[in-house]
Amino acid sequence: MHLIDRLKSRGWRLTAQRRAIADTFSGPSIHLTPEEVWVRARVAVPEVSQATVYNTLHELVRLGELREVDGLGRSRRYDPNTHAPHHHLLCDGCDRLVDVFPEGDLLASLPAASRHGFSGLQAEVVYRGTCPDCAPR
Amino acid sequence: MHLIDRLKSRGWRLTAQRRAIADTFSGPSIHLTPEEVWVRARVAVPEVSQATVYNTLHELVRLGELREVDGLGRSRRYDPNTHAPHHHLLCDGCDRLVDVFPEGDLLASLPAASRHGFSGLQAEVVYRGTCPDCAPR
DNA sequence: TTCCATGCAAAGTGTTTGCAATAAT
DNA sequence: ATTATTGCAAACACTTTGCATGGAA
């Protein structure tokens, strides 16, 4: 079932704005800021407001259709890949962000003695480096 | 050599404000927001301004005396532990942040085929979970 | 005496909110 | 006809900046 249909079946009122916003997330490895979503959505619906973009992004996160990615720059990014658990590879030069799928159990790196009694642990990894385009030659 | 002396030897003008700000970072596992630094520094120097706190924190980062930790809440946090490379364990309930020292090579989890040609890779891990105080019983 | 550091207040970002008008159902 | 959604603009939280004053060297 496609995104739009999933949303409809959950009682969403389907407006041109929401459709335009949801449509900006077609593709697997996309990480848009609210600003970028706004710019793109306005191509289809010029009168869409930033408030609606923010509202809709929050909704999509709440419904599990988007994942919020924090701490990679001044602005949040939204990632439509919620099916496959993954991590991120960030270029320090140009801020390019790529999905990556590390292998092995990342939690194994944290010995029980270092867990400070925490439960329900999960590991979130950001790999940082320099992408080929930004590498000095 | 102590922090204050290191700063002096690098040509810092030592003011009461800077001393008060630097002094808030005594201890190994401290992660203060600029606001928290401001509150604490004002105990010693009531007239210190937020601008000076921000200026000084930036300086300390530039000099390698503090590490900036992003993306763990609305505000940045500053971490005085720059000697021992480490990662963070965050409580989803109360935002408590603890330094942890994972074992093994975290980069090994990312196969060459997944590195997209990036160079100079480093892994930054945030372990998330629920601390003992926040765990339902 | 020099000039860096400070405090203040204004401005800048990114995000959230209140509310009347609008449009999907 | 109902009521969720929208756009606007104001409010917000955090951070940065400009500039005259003050203080360390």
Side-chain angles (χ1 to χ4, degrees):
Chain A
M1 187 156 72
H2 198 275
L3 171 58
I4 297 289
D5 301 308
R6 283 201 298 280
L7 298 174
K8 238 185 143 168
S9 72
R10 296 200 214 176
W12 255 36
R13 288 197 182 174
L14 213 32
T15 66
Q17 289 88 331
R18 284 177 164 182
R19 194 187 303 270
I21 290 165
D23 280 350
T24 62
F25 290 100
S26 49
S29 192
I30 294 189
H31 310 87
L32 301 173
T33 63
E35 173 81 19
E36 289 166 343
V37 172
W38 188 46
V39 169
R40 295 186 185 204
R42 267 189 300 175
V43 175
V45 182
E47 71 273 25
V48 66
S49 68
Q50 294 203 59
T52 294
V53 170
Y54 279 106
N55 286 338
T56 305
L57 291 175
H58 292 159
E59 279 292 298
L60 290 169
V61 169
R62 205 173 53 75
L63 294 173
E65 299 290 347
L66 287 181
R67 172 177 159 194
E68 231 171 36
V69 186
D70 271 327
L72 300 181
R74 44 182 58 177
S75 203
R76 269 176 210 150
R77 304 200 197 181
Y78 290 86
D79 181 344
N81 186 348
T82 59
H83 329 294
H86 63 278
H87 298 265
H88 292 113
L89 173 56
L90 176 69
C91 176
D92 288 326
C94 64
D95 270 17
R96 187 150 77 92
L97 191 63
V98 184
D99 287 349
V100 290
F101 302 83
E103 56 190 24
D105 180 11
L106 291 165
L107 282 180
S109 60
L110 196 64
S114 296
R115 298 192 178 186
H116 296 261
F118 278 54
S119 54
L121 281 184
Q122 269 196 287
E124 264 177 37
V125 186
V126 176
Y127 299 92
R128 293 172 164 275
T130 308
C131 80
D133 294 346
C134 293
R137 219 171 347 93
Chain B
M1 188 158 67
H2 198 276
L3 171 60
I4 297 291
D5 302 307
R6 282 201 300 280
L7 298 173
K8 236 183 146 169
S9 72
R10 296 199 216 176
W12 253 37
R13 287 199 183 170
L14 213 31
T15 65
Q17 290 87 332
R18 284 178 163 181
R19 195 186 301 271
I21 290 165
D23 280 349
T24 62
F25 291 100
S26 49
S29 191
I30 294 190
H31 309 89
L32 301 174
T33 63
E35 172 81 19
E36 289 167 342
V37 172
W38 188 47
V39 169
R40 295 185 186 203
R42 267 189 301 174
V43 174
V45 182
E47 70 274 24
V48 65
S49 68
Q50 293 203 59
T52 294
V53 170
Y54 278 105
N55 286 339
T56 304
L57 291 175
H58 292 159
E59 280 292 298
L60 290 169
V61 169
R62 204 173 54 74
L63 294 173
E65 299 290 348
L66 288 181
R67 172 177 159 195
E68 232 172 34
V69 185
D70 270 326
L72 300 181
R74 41 183 60 179
S75 205
R76 267 176 211 149
R77 303 200 196 181
Y78 290 85
D79 181 345
N81 186 348
T82 60
H83 330 293
H86 64 279
H87 299 264
H88 292 114
L89 173 56
L90 175 69
C91 176
D92 288 325
C94 63
D95 271 17
R96 186 150 77 92
L97 192 62
V98 184
D99 286 349
V100 290
F101 302 84
E103 58 189 25
D105 179 10
L106 291 165
L107 281 180
S109 61
L110 195 65
S114 296
R115 297 191 179 188
H116 296 260
F118 279 54
S119 54
L121 281 183
Q122 270 197 287
E124 264 178 36
V125 187
V126 176
Y127 299 91
R128 293 172 164 274
T130 308
C131 80
D133 293 346
C134 293
R137 223 172 345 93

